[in-house]
Amino acid sequence: ADRDVVVLGFDGSRKRSHATTDATALIGCRVSDGHLFEVDVWEQPTGPAGDGWEVPVALVEASLAGAFAKYSVVGLFADPAKWESYLAKWEATYGARLKVKASRDHPMHWWMNRPSAVVAAVDQLHTAITQAECTYDGSSALTRHFLNARRRSSRSGIQLAKAHPESADKIDAAYAAVLAWQARLAAVAAGITGQPRVVARRIR
């Protein structure tokens, strides 16, 4: 609902010269109850409509602006890969509003090239799902991306991966949800409940 206290997770791609470009996803999570919801997901169309396609950056930025206008956004965790210049601009625009920060110097930068951190983040969301600590909006893209995800073992533990590197079945919304859940955990740890403040009145 309007003015709900939320956090956002962002996982983006840009353009690939071969195969299918990975999706770009902006996923929200309501702080009060851990409800995950799709803000927007951009995917390369199939067939001729997808020829030469690249992520519509202007639409991504418009969607982000819309989320900040609609909700009370207290955190945004994003994988900076291929989006560093945009994240720098977003931090300049929205950083002062954020109560939860991925790092002291870069409040939105949550690098996905850290296997141990990714394994821990995936496990934390998995636990939340299996323990019914979160819900989600049932959106088709988020559902599909979770179903596309495969468990991949690494020396650090279990991560999410596509069926194979060139697969057209994308998982980016699932990882955006992982980032949103990390931001929500940080918000809760910071004492942000997302509940409206109750102001006591003196009875005369």
Side-chain angles (χ1 to χ4, degrees):
D2 289 358
R3 308 319 303 160
D4 270 353
V5 177
V6 307
V7 290
L8 302 172
F10 177 82
D11 188 37
S13 183
R14 295 298 296 278
K15 181 180 179 180
R16 298 182 72 176
S17 58
H18 66 286
T20 304
T21 300
D22 284 340
T24 289
L26 183 63
I27 301 297
C29 184
R30 189 164 53 205
V31 173
S32 63
D33 60 359
H35 182 69
L36 292 161
F37 60 95
E38 177 186 324
V39 179
D40 258 316
V41 177
W42 296 268
E43 299 179 273
Q44 182 173 345
T46 57
D51 293 346
W53 186 86
E54 58 184 286
V55 176
V57 175
L59 295 182
V60 173
E61 295 198 297
S63 182
L64 185 66
F68 271 90
K70 178 179 176 65
Y71 307 112
S72 177
V73 179
V74 297
L76 167 60
F77 286 7
D79 181 12
K82 300 181 181 179
W83 288 82
E84 287 186 83
S85 62
Y86 292 98
L87 257 66
K89 182 169 63 173
W90 299 347
E91 287 179 342
T93 303
Y94 306 111
R97 307 187 199 181
L98 303 180
K99 298 178 181 179
V100 175
K101 300 182 178 182
S103 70
R104 184 182 64 182
D105 296 330
H106 294 288
M108 296 181 181
H109 285 54
W110 204 100
W111 284 97
M112 299 288 284
N113 59 357
R114 301 171 297 155
S116 296
V118 172
V119 165
V122 168
D123 181 65
Q124 286 165 340
L125 179 56
H126 179 266
T127 298
I129 293 170
T130 57
Q131 296 299 315
E133 296 172 4
C134 70
T135 57
Y136 91 115
D137 63 352
S139 70
S140 60
L142 188 53
T143 300
R144 180 162 33 83
H145 285 214
F146 268 117
L147 293 175
N148 289 341
R150 300 290 181 265
R151 296 169 184 255
R152 183 179 68 192
S153 297
S154 68
R155 287 183 293 180
S156 300
I158 300 296
Q159 299 185 40
L160 301 180
K162 295 186 292 185
H164 57 84
E166 304 301 328
S167 174
D169 297 330
K170 304 307 178 184
I171 65 171
D172 307 273
Y175 262 124
V178 169
L179 292 173
W181 189 254
Q182 283 296 292
R184 194 234 174 196
L185 291 178
V188 172
I192 301 170
T193 66
Q195 301 289 351
R197 294 181 61 184
V198 177
V199 179
R201 286 186 173 184
R202 180 187 299 176
I203 299 176
R204 296 183 181 272

